[in-house]
Amino acid sequence: EAGVAQSPRYKIIEKRQSVAFWCNPISGHATLYWYQQILGQGPKLLIQFQNNGVVDDSQLPKDRFSAERLKGVDSTLKIQPAKLEDSAVYLCASSVQGFGYTFGSGTRLTVV
Amino acid sequence: KNEVEQSPQNLTAQEGEFITINCSYSVGISALHWLQQHPGGGIVSLFMLSSGKKKHGRLIATINIQEKHSSLHITASHPRDSAVYICAVFTSGGGADGLTFGKGTHLIIQP
């Protein structure tokens, strides 16, 4: 079974630039999550999709972060403009009704 | 809100040693995950437990629902086991996704 695919693996950008991350969940997983993990901390949920609808985005900094899941499959997470404190690993995960969580390999973002 | 505490935060051991990582949580849960995170960020789900004990290769995970405690054991540890191990609990009182994460245990196995 293919895992959760994420790209790119690494990204370095300057502050105030924009960046986008892509995630392809496991086929058939209706629920997709984006997490932000700052060094030394556990992952923090940014946004959760159920199919193509947003379940919760209460911790998403909406002034600079946006996410979409068109057609209920792939998802993109965008940051515009980036700040230094956005440096983190961005993880995508998918599940079937809260079970069978599978995480992607993550995108390590460095903002300089 | 569930509080998840892991111990130790950092652990360095010699190859071959028996390793134990502990996880305690404050509110009753429906499931607990042990996750492994290698340098570079990728997370692999090792176990999902709701009771008892699970074993996979050299890894053993146990959970005591009454004591709200879980342990992850590694037998005959090897340098390739070096990673961050994260405990995450699944409850209706957790985040929107139901998961509350511990901060992780950074394990280094020296040859």
Side-chain angles (χ1 to χ4, degrees), chain A residues 9-10 33 35 37 40-43 45 48 56 89 91 98-99 101 103-106 108, chain B residues 31 33 35 37 39-45 48 86 90 95-99 101-103:
Chain A
R9 285 299 312 275
Y10 304 94
Y33 317 83
Y35 293 89
Q37 187 179 19
Q41 300 180 17
L45 179 69
Q48 177 183 351
D56 191 293
V89 174
L91 292 158
F99 292 92
Y101 279 92
F103 287 84
S105 54
R108 181 176 291 280
Chain B
H33 297 260
L35 310 169
Q37 186 170 34
I43 286 182
V44 173
S45 178
M48 186 174 75
I86 301 172
F90 184 72
D97 58 343
L99 280 180
F101 292 85
K103 291 187 176 180

mmCIF file of all heavy atoms in Angstrom, chain A residues 9-10 33 35 37 40-43 45 48 56 89 91 98-99 101 103-106 108, chain B residues 31 33 35 37 39-45 48 86 90 95-99 101-103:
data_model
loop_
_atom_site.group_PDB
_atom_site.id
_atom_site.type_symbol
_atom_site.label_atom_id
_atom_site.label_comp_id
_atom_site.label_asym_id
_atom_site.label_seq_id
_atom_site.Cartn_x
_atom_site.Cartn_y
_atom_site.Cartn_z
ATOM 1 N N ARG A 9 10.690 17.650 0.056
ATOM 2 C CA ARG A 9 11.211 17.176 1.343
ATOM 3 C C ARG A 9 11.854 18.309 2.125
ATOM 4 O O ARG A 9 11.747 18.365 3.339
ATOM 5 C CB ARG A 9 12.242 16.063 1.132
ATOM 6 C CG ARG A 9 11.684 14.714 0.742
ATOM 7 C CD ARG A 9 10.747 14.130 1.804
ATOM 8 N NE ARG A 9 11.284 14.187 3.161
ATOM 9 C CZ ARG A 9 12.082 13.288 3.699
ATOM 10 N NH1 ARG A 9 12.479 12.249 2.989
ATOM 11 N NH2 ARG A 9 12.505 13.415 4.940
ATOM 12 N N TYR A 10 12.520 19.183 1.427
ATOM 13 C CA TYR A 10 13.200 20.306 2.076
ATOM 14 C C TYR A 10 12.948 21.581 1.266
ATOM 15 O O TYR A 10 12.836 21.528 0.043
ATOM 16 C CB TYR A 10 14.713 20.069 2.162
ATOM 17 C CG TYR A 10 15.093 18.795 2.868
ATOM 18 C CD1 TYR A 10 15.321 17.627 2.145
ATOM 19 C CD2 TYR A 10 15.219 18.751 4.257
ATOM 20 C CE1 TYR A 10 15.659 16.455 2.791
ATOM 21 C CE2 TYR A 10 15.562 17.580 4.905
ATOM 22 C CZ TYR A 10 15.778 16.431 4.169
ATOM 23 O OH TYR A 10 16.108 15.271 4.813
ATOM 24 N N TYR A 33 -4.926 15.672 7.386
ATOM 25 C CA TYR A 33 -4.472 16.617 8.403
ATOM 26 C C TYR A 33 -3.175 17.267 7.952
ATOM 27 O O TYR A 33 -2.313 16.614 7.377
ATOM 28 C CB TYR A 33 -4.185 15.899 9.734
ATOM 29 C CG TYR A 33 -5.198 14.864 10.161
ATOM 30 C CD1 TYR A 33 -5.139 13.564 9.657
ATOM 31 C CD2 TYR A 33 -6.188 15.164 11.097
ATOM 32 C CE1 TYR A 33 -6.051 12.604 10.060
ATOM 33 C CE2 TYR A 33 -7.091 14.206 11.502
ATOM 34 C CZ TYR A 33 -7.026 12.927 10.990
ATOM 35 O OH TYR A 33 -7.928 11.982 11.394
ATOM 36 N N TYR A 35 -0.029 19.198 9.957
ATOM 37 C CA TYR A 35 0.558 19.508 11.250
ATOM 38 C C TYR A 35 1.797 20.376 11.055
ATOM 39 O O TYR A 35 2.522 20.241 10.070
ATOM 40 C CB TYR A 35 1.006 18.237 11.979
ATOM 41 C CG TYR A 35 -0.096 17.318 12.423
ATOM 42 C CD1 TYR A 35 -0.566 16.313 11.582
ATOM 43 C CD2 TYR A 35 -0.656 17.423 13.697
ATOM 44 C CE1 TYR A 35 -1.565 15.448 11.983
ATOM 45 C CE2 TYR A 35 -1.663 16.557 14.108
ATOM 46 C CZ TYR A 35 -2.114 15.570 13.247
ATOM 47 O OH TYR A 35 -3.104 14.715 13.652
ATOM 48 N N GLN A 37 5.339 21.079 13.115
ATOM 49 C CA GLN A 37 6.154 20.611 14.227
ATOM 50 C C GLN A 37 7.407 21.457 14.331
ATOM 51 O O GLN A 37 8.315 21.359 13.497
ATOM 52 C CB GLN A 37 6.524 19.143 14.067
ATOM 53 C CG GLN A 37 7.236 18.588 15.295
ATOM 54 C CD GLN A 37 7.575 17.130 15.148
ATOM 55 O OE1 GLN A 37 7.613 16.614 14.045
ATOM 56 N NE2 GLN A 37 7.823 16.458 16.262
ATOM 57 N N GLY A 40 11.770 20.274 18.762
ATOM 58 C CA GLY A 40 11.676 20.027 20.192
ATOM 59 C C GLY A 40 10.262 19.937 20.724
ATOM 60 O O GLY A 40 10.052 19.740 21.919
ATOM 61 N N GLN A 41 9.276 20.072 19.851
ATOM 62 C CA GLN A 41 7.882 20.009 20.280
ATOM 63 C C GLN A 41 7.142 18.910 19.533
ATOM 64 O O GLN A 41 7.582 18.446 18.485
ATOM 65 C CB GLN A 41 7.197 21.354 20.037
ATOM 66 C CG GLN A 41 7.819 22.524 20.776
ATOM 67 C CD GLN A 41 7.093 23.819 20.493
ATOM 68 O OE1 GLN A 41 5.961 23.827 20.009
ATOM 69 N NE2 GLN A 41 7.744 24.936 20.792
ATOM 70 N N GLY A 42 6.006 18.510 20.074
ATOM 71 C CA GLY A 42 5.140 17.584 19.358
ATOM 72 C C GLY A 42 4.416 18.288 18.228
ATOM 73 O O GLY A 42 4.336 19.517 18.205
ATOM 74 N N PRO A 43 3.886 17.543 17.286
ATOM 75 C CA PRO A 43 3.155 18.164 16.173
ATOM 76 C C PRO A 43 1.934 18.941 16.655
ATOM 77 O O PRO A 43 1.267 18.534 17.598
ATOM 78 C CB PRO A 43 2.729 16.965 15.318
ATOM 79 C CG PRO A 43 3.659 15.855 15.698
ATOM 80 C CD PRO A 43 3.968 16.088 17.140
ATOM 81 N N LEU A 45 -1.726 20.496 15.285
ATOM 82 C CA LEU A 45 -2.652 20.433 14.159
ATOM 83 C C LEU A 45 -2.930 21.825 13.618
ATOM 84 O O LEU A 45 -3.283 22.740 14.363
ATOM 85 C CB LEU A 45 -3.967 19.795 14.597
ATOM 86 C CG LEU A 45 -5.032 19.680 13.512
ATOM 87 C CD1 LEU A 45 -4.620 18.660 12.464
ATOM 88 C CD2 LEU A 45 -6.382 19.309 14.109
ATOM 89 N N GLN A 48 -7.742 20.309 9.552
ATOM 90 C CA GLN A 48 -8.234 18.959 9.292
ATOM 91 C C GLN A 48 -9.338 19.037 8.243
ATOM 92 O O GLN A 48 -10.257 19.837 8.358
ATOM 93 C CB GLN A 48 -8.793 18.336 10.567
ATOM 94 C CG GLN A 48 -9.383 16.952 10.379
ATOM 95 C CD GLN A 48 -9.986 16.382 11.649
ATOM 96 O OE1 GLN A 48 -9.826 16.951 12.724
ATOM 97 N NE2 GLN A 48 -10.665 15.259 11.532
ATOM 98 N N ASP A 56 -11.781 21.540 10.997
ATOM 99 C CA ASP A 56 -11.287 22.485 12.002
ATOM 100 C C ASP A 56 -10.039 23.169 11.485
ATOM 101 O O ASP A 56 -9.125 22.492 11.010
ATOM 102 C CB ASP A 56 -10.971 21.770 13.308
ATOM 103 C CG ASP A 56 -10.715 22.757 14.445
ATOM 104 O OD1 ASP A 56 -9.704 23.478 14.388
ATOM 105 O OD2 ASP A 56 -11.526 22.803 15.387
ATOM 106 N N VAL A 89 8.902 21.542 10.618
ATOM 107 C CA VAL A 89 8.548 20.437 9.728
ATOM 108 C C VAL A 89 7.031 20.449 9.567
ATOM 109 O O VAL A 89 6.297 20.548 10.554
ATOM 110 C CB VAL A 89 9.003 19.082 10.301
ATOM 111 C CG1 VAL A 89 8.496 17.933 9.435
ATOM 112 C CG2 VAL A 89 10.526 19.032 10.397
ATOM 113 N N LEU A 91 3.936 18.332 8.445
ATOM 114 C CA LEU A 91 3.563 16.932 8.263
ATOM 115 C C LEU A 91 2.138 16.835 7.756
ATOM 116 O O LEU A 91 1.249 17.534 8.232
ATOM 117 C CB LEU A 91 3.653 16.191 9.599
ATOM 118 C CG LEU A 91 5.046 16.010 10.178
ATOM 119 C CD1 LEU A 91 4.953 15.784 11.678
ATOM 120 C CD2 LEU A 91 5.757 14.857 9.509
ATOM 121 N N GLY A 98 -10.573 8.646 11.857
ATOM 122 C CA GLY A 98 -9.789 8.714 13.074
ATOM 123 C C GLY A 98 -8.961 7.482 13.359
ATOM 124 O O GLY A 98 -8.277 7.421 14.372
ATOM 125 N N PHE A 99 -9.001 6.491 12.486
ATOM 126 C CA PHE A 99 -8.203 5.293 12.690
ATOM 127 C C PHE A 99 -7.228 5.103 11.525
ATOM 128 O O PHE A 99 -7.429 5.608 10.446
ATOM 129 C CB PHE A 99 -9.102 4.062 12.829
ATOM 130 C CG PHE A 99 -9.907 4.072 14.083
ATOM 131 C CD1 PHE A 99 -11.182 4.614 14.103
ATOM 132 C CD2 PHE A 99 -9.378 3.593 15.270
ATOM 133 C CE1 PHE A 99 -11.920 4.666 15.264
ATOM 134 C CE2 PHE A 99 -10.116 3.638 16.446
ATOM 135 C CZ PHE A 99 -11.392 4.170 16.435
ATOM 136 N N TYR A 101 -4.114 6.117 11.338
ATOM 137 C CA TYR A 101 -3.316 7.293 11.024
ATOM 138 C C TYR A 101 -2.045 6.890 10.295
ATOM 139 O O TYR A 101 -1.309 6.024 10.724
ATOM 140 C CB TYR A 101 -2.895 8.021 12.307
ATOM 141 C CG TYR A 101 -3.941 8.915 12.889
ATOM 142 C CD1 TYR A 101 -4.828 8.447 13.841
ATOM 143 C CD2 TYR A 101 -4.022 10.245 12.495
ATOM 144 C CE1 TYR A 101 -5.783 9.269 14.386
ATOM 145 C CE2 TYR A 101 -4.979 11.073 13.042
ATOM 146 C CZ TYR A 101 -5.854 10.591 13.977
ATOM 147 O OH TYR A 101 -6.799 11.408 14.514
ATOM 148 N N PHE A 103 1.313 8.937 8.524
ATOM 149 C CA PHE A 103 1.955 10.224 8.327
ATOM 150 C C PHE A 103 2.831 10.193 7.084
ATOM 151 O O PHE A 103 3.418 9.169 6.744
ATOM 152 C CB PHE A 103 2.835 10.570 9.532
ATOM 153 C CG PHE A 103 2.064 10.948 10.761
ATOM 154 C CD1 PHE A 103 1.582 9.979 11.616
ATOM 155 C CD2 PHE A 103 1.821 12.281 11.060
ATOM 156 C CE1 PHE A 103 0.875 10.314 12.752
ATOM 157 C CE2 PHE A 103 1.106 12.625 12.200
ATOM 158 C CZ PHE A 103 0.638 11.642 13.042
ATOM 159 N N GLY A 104 2.956 11.330 6.452
ATOM 160 C CA GLY A 104 3.920 11.496 5.369
ATOM 161 C C GLY A 104 5.311 11.730 5.930
ATOM 162 O O GLY A 104 5.500 11.801 7.142
ATOM 163 N N SER A 105 6.277 11.850 5.041
ATOM 164 C CA SER A 105 7.674 12.019 5.460
ATOM 165 C C SER A 105 7.974 13.448 5.874
ATOM 166 O O SER A 105 9.033 13.725 6.399
ATOM 167 C CB SER A 105 8.608 11.580 4.343
ATOM 168 O OG SER A 105 8.281 12.252 3.152
ATOM 169 N N GLY A 106 7.055 14.365 5.629
ATOM 170 C CA GLY A 106 7.229 15.731 6.095
ATOM 171 C C GLY A 106 8.016 16.602 5.137
ATOM 172 O O GLY A 106 8.784 16.125 4.290
ATOM 173 N N ARG A 108 10.611 19.812 5.524
ATOM 174 C CA ARG A 108 11.353 20.668 6.459
ATOM 175 C C ARG A 108 11.522 22.038 5.835
ATOM 176 O O ARG A 108 12.198 22.176 4.818
ATOM 177 C CB ARG A 108 12.697 20.057 6.809
ATOM 178 C CG ARG A 108 13.495 20.915 7.803
ATOM 179 C CD ARG A 108 14.796 20.239 8.206
ATOM 180 N NE ARG A 108 14.545 19.062 9.033
ATOM 181 C CZ ARG A 108 14.271 19.083 10.330
ATOM 182 N NH1 ARG A 108 14.210 20.239 10.969
ATOM 183 N NH2 ARG A 108 14.076 17.967 11.002
ATOM 184 N N ALA B 31 -7.546 5.276 22.406
ATOM 185 C CA ALA B 31 -6.402 4.618 21.768
ATOM 186 C C ALA B 31 -5.148 5.433 22.019
ATOM 187 O O ALA B 31 -5.215 6.645 22.263
ATOM 188 C CB ALA B 31 -6.616 4.456 20.270
ATOM 189 N N HIS B 33 -1.088 5.957 20.429
ATOM 190 C CA HIS B 33 -0.136 5.656 19.353
ATOM 191 C C HIS B 33 1.287 5.844 19.850
ATOM 192 O O HIS B 33 1.564 6.786 20.587
ATOM 193 C CB HIS B 33 -0.328 6.641 18.187
ATOM 194 C CG HIS B 33 -1.653 6.580 17.522
ATOM 195 N ND1 HIS B 33 -1.868 5.904 16.335
ATOM 196 C CD2 HIS B 33 -2.845 7.119 17.859
ATOM 197 C CE1 HIS B 33 -3.128 6.047 15.979
ATOM 198 N NE2 HIS B 33 -3.749 6.772 16.878
ATOM 199 N N LEU B 35 4.805 6.592 17.990
ATOM 200 C CA LEU B 35 5.306 7.027 16.688
ATOM 201 C C LEU B 35 6.823 7.149 16.740
ATOM 202 O O LEU B 35 7.395 7.481 17.780
ATOM 203 C CB LEU B 35 4.703 8.395 16.318
ATOM 204 C CG LEU B 35 3.186 8.520 16.447
ATOM 205 C CD1 LEU B 35 2.762 9.987 16.322
ATOM 206 C CD2 LEU B 35 2.491 7.686 15.391
ATOM 207 N N GLN B 37 10.045 9.049 14.835
ATOM 208 C CA GLN B 37 10.400 10.141 13.923
ATOM 209 C C GLN B 37 11.909 10.194 13.750
ATOM 210 O O GLN B 37 12.650 10.422 14.699
ATOM 211 C CB GLN B 37 9.875 11.469 14.438
ATOM 212 C CG GLN B 37 10.085 12.623 13.463
ATOM 213 C CD GLN B 37 9.351 13.870 13.903
ATOM 214 O OE1 GLN B 37 9.232 14.134 15.092
ATOM 215 N NE2 GLN B 37 8.871 14.655 12.940
ATOM 216 N N PRO B 39 15.489 11.766 11.930
ATOM 217 C CA PRO B 39 15.969 13.087 11.489
ATOM 218 C C PRO B 39 15.502 13.367 10.068
ATOM 219 O O PRO B 39 15.523 12.493 9.227
ATOM 220 C CB PRO B 39 17.489 12.937 11.558
ATOM 221 C CG PRO B 39 17.728 11.872 12.558
ATOM 222 C CD PRO B 39 16.573 10.913 12.425
ATOM 223 N N GLY B 40 15.023 14.562 9.802
ATOM 224 C CA GLY B 40 14.437 14.871 8.499
ATOM 225 C C GLY B 40 12.944 14.986 8.583
ATOM 226 O O GLY B 40 12.317 15.581 7.705
ATOM 227 N N GLY B 41 12.327 14.452 9.621
ATOM 228 C CA GLY B 41 10.933 14.756 9.903
ATOM 229 C C GLY B 41 9.920 13.649 9.732
ATOM 230 O O GLY B 41 8.885 13.670 10.364
ATOM 231 N N GLY B 42 10.182 12.645 8.900
ATOM 232 C CA GLY B 42 9.155 11.652 8.625
ATOM 233 C C GLY B 42 8.725 10.902 9.870
ATOM 234 O O GLY B 42 9.532 10.570 10.731
ATOM 235 N N ILE B 43 7.431 10.652 10.007
ATOM 236 C CA ILE B 43 6.890 9.934 11.156
ATOM 237 C C ILE B 43 6.347 8.594 10.706
ATOM 238 O O ILE B 43 5.601 8.512 9.726
ATOM 239 C CB ILE B 43 5.774 10.745 11.848
ATOM 240 C CG1 ILE B 43 6.381 11.910 12.628
ATOM 241 C CG2 ILE B 43 4.962 9.862 12.790
ATOM 242 C CD1 ILE B 43 5.368 12.738 13.391
ATOM 243 N N VAL B 44 6.688 7.564 11.466
ATOM 244 C CA VAL B 44 6.184 6.221 11.206
ATOM 245 C C VAL B 44 5.371 5.786 12.418
ATOM 246 O O VAL B 44 5.813 5.933 13.553
ATOM 247 C CB VAL B 44 7.351 5.234 10.972
ATOM 248 C CG1 VAL B 44 6.826 3.820 10.872
ATOM 249 C CG2 VAL B 44 8.123 5.618 9.724
ATOM 250 N N SER B 45 4.191 5.266 12.161
ATOM 251 C CA SER B 45 3.373 4.762 13.252
ATOM 252 C C SER B 45 3.859 3.359 13.620
ATOM 253 O O SER B 45 3.897 2.469 12.777
ATOM 254 C CB SER B 45 1.902 4.713 12.831
ATOM 255 O OG SER B 45 1.112 4.183 13.874
ATOM 256 N N MET B 48 -0.616 1.076 17.538
ATOM 257 C CA MET B 48 -1.799 1.703 18.096
ATOM 258 C C MET B 48 -2.370 0.717 19.112
ATOM 259 O O MET B 48 -2.609 -0.450 18.774
ATOM 260 C CB MET B 48 -2.849 2.026 17.033
ATOM 261 C CG MET B 48 -4.014 2.818 17.604
ATOM 262 S SD MET B 48 -5.211 3.385 16.386
ATOM 263 C CE MET B 48 -6.069 1.871 16.004
ATOM 264 N N ILE B 86 7.509 9.359 19.875
ATOM 265 C CA ILE B 86 6.418 10.237 20.303
ATOM 266 C C ILE B 86 5.206 9.398 20.688
ATOM 267 O O ILE B 86 4.810 8.481 19.960
ATOM 268 C CB ILE B 86 6.020 11.221 19.181
ATOM 269 C CG1 ILE B 86 7.216 12.077 18.764
ATOM 270 C CG2 ILE B 86 4.861 12.113 19.618
ATOM 271 C CD1 ILE B 86 6.957 12.935 17.536
ATOM 272 N N PHE B 90 -5.519 9.380 21.689
ATOM 273 C CA PHE B 90 -6.703 9.709 20.914
ATOM 274 C C PHE B 90 -7.904 9.753 21.848
ATOM 275 O O PHE B 90 -8.266 8.744 22.454
ATOM 276 C CB PHE B 90 -6.912 8.657 19.823
ATOM 277 C CG PHE B 90 -8.062 8.954 18.901
ATOM 278 C CD1 PHE B 90 -7.962 9.980 17.976
ATOM 279 C CD2 PHE B 90 -9.229 8.209 18.938
ATOM 280 C CE1 PHE B 90 -9.007 10.260 17.116
ATOM 281 C CE2 PHE B 90 -10.279 8.488 18.076
ATOM 282 C CZ PHE B 90 -10.169 9.508 17.160
ATOM 283 N N GLY B 95 -7.364 17.403 20.417
ATOM 284 C CA GLY B 95 -7.514 18.415 19.371
ATOM 285 C C GLY B 95 -8.639 18.020 18.448
ATOM 286 O O GLY B 95 -9.319 17.023 18.644
ATOM 287 N N ALA B 96 -8.845 18.819 17.410
ATOM 288 C CA ALA B 96 -9.921 18.553 16.453
ATOM 289 C C ALA B 96 -9.797 17.157 15.852
ATOM 290 O O ALA B 96 -10.791 16.522 15.547
ATOM 291 C CB ALA B 96 -9.903 19.594 15.345
ATOM 292 N N ASP B 97 -8.552 16.713 15.746
ATOM 293 C CA ASP B 97 -8.342 15.371 15.208
ATOM 294 C C ASP B 97 -8.372 14.324 16.301
ATOM 295 O O ASP B 97 -8.180 13.149 16.046
ATOM 296 C CB ASP B 97 -6.983 15.303 14.491
ATOM 297 C CG ASP B 97 -5.822 15.653 15.399
ATOM 298 O OD1 ASP B 97 -6.054 16.252 16.467
ATOM 299 O OD2 ASP B 97 -4.675 15.329 15.040
ATOM 300 N N GLY B 98 -8.597 14.740 17.544
ATOM 301 C CA GLY B 98 -8.660 13.803 18.654
ATOM 302 C C GLY B 98 -7.311 13.418 19.211
ATOM 303 O O GLY B 98 -7.234 12.705 20.196
ATOM 304 N N LEU B 99 -6.228 13.861 18.573
ATOM 305 C CA LEU B 99 -4.891 13.461 19.003
ATOM 306 C C LEU B 99 -4.236 14.531 19.862
ATOM 307 O O LEU B 99 -4.263 15.707 19.516
ATOM 308 C CB LEU B 99 -3.987 13.195 17.796
ATOM 309 C CG LEU B 99 -4.121 11.853 17.092
ATOM 310 C CD1 LEU B 99 -3.144 11.777 15.929
ATOM 311 C CD2 LEU B 99 -3.872 10.695 18.041
ATOM 312 N N PHE B 101 -0.409 15.072 21.437
ATOM 313 C CA PHE B 101 0.936 14.533 21.322
ATOM 314 C C PHE B 101 1.776 14.858 22.547
ATOM 315 O O PHE B 101 1.677 15.948 23.112
ATOM 316 C CB PHE B 101 1.647 15.124 20.102
ATOM 317 C CG PHE B 101 1.068 14.700 18.790
ATOM 318 C CD1 PHE B 101 -0.008 15.377 18.245
ATOM 319 C CD2 PHE B 101 1.611 13.637 18.091
ATOM 320 C CE1 PHE B 101 -0.550 14.999 17.027
ATOM 321 C CE2 PHE B 101 1.075 13.258 16.856
ATOM 322 C CZ PHE B 101 -0.003 13.935 16.336
ATOM 323 N N GLY B 102 2.652 13.921 22.928
ATOM 324 C CA GLY B 102 3.714 14.245 23.856
ATOM 325 C C GLY B 102 4.820 14.969 23.107
ATOM 326 O O GLY B 102 4.793 15.067 21.882
ATOM 327 N N LYS B 103 5.800 15.457 23.855
ATOM 328 C CA LYS B 103 6.886 16.224 23.229
ATOM 329 C C LYS B 103 7.959 15.329 22.629
ATOM 330 O O LYS B 103 8.838 15.798 21.929
ATOM 331 C CB LYS B 103 7.507 17.184 24.247
ATOM 332 C CG LYS B 103 6.570 18.314 24.629
ATOM 333 C CD LYS B 103 7.266 19.347 25.496
ATOM 334 C CE LYS B 103 6.305 20.497 25.769
ATOM 335 N NZ LYS B 103 6.929 21.538 26.617
#
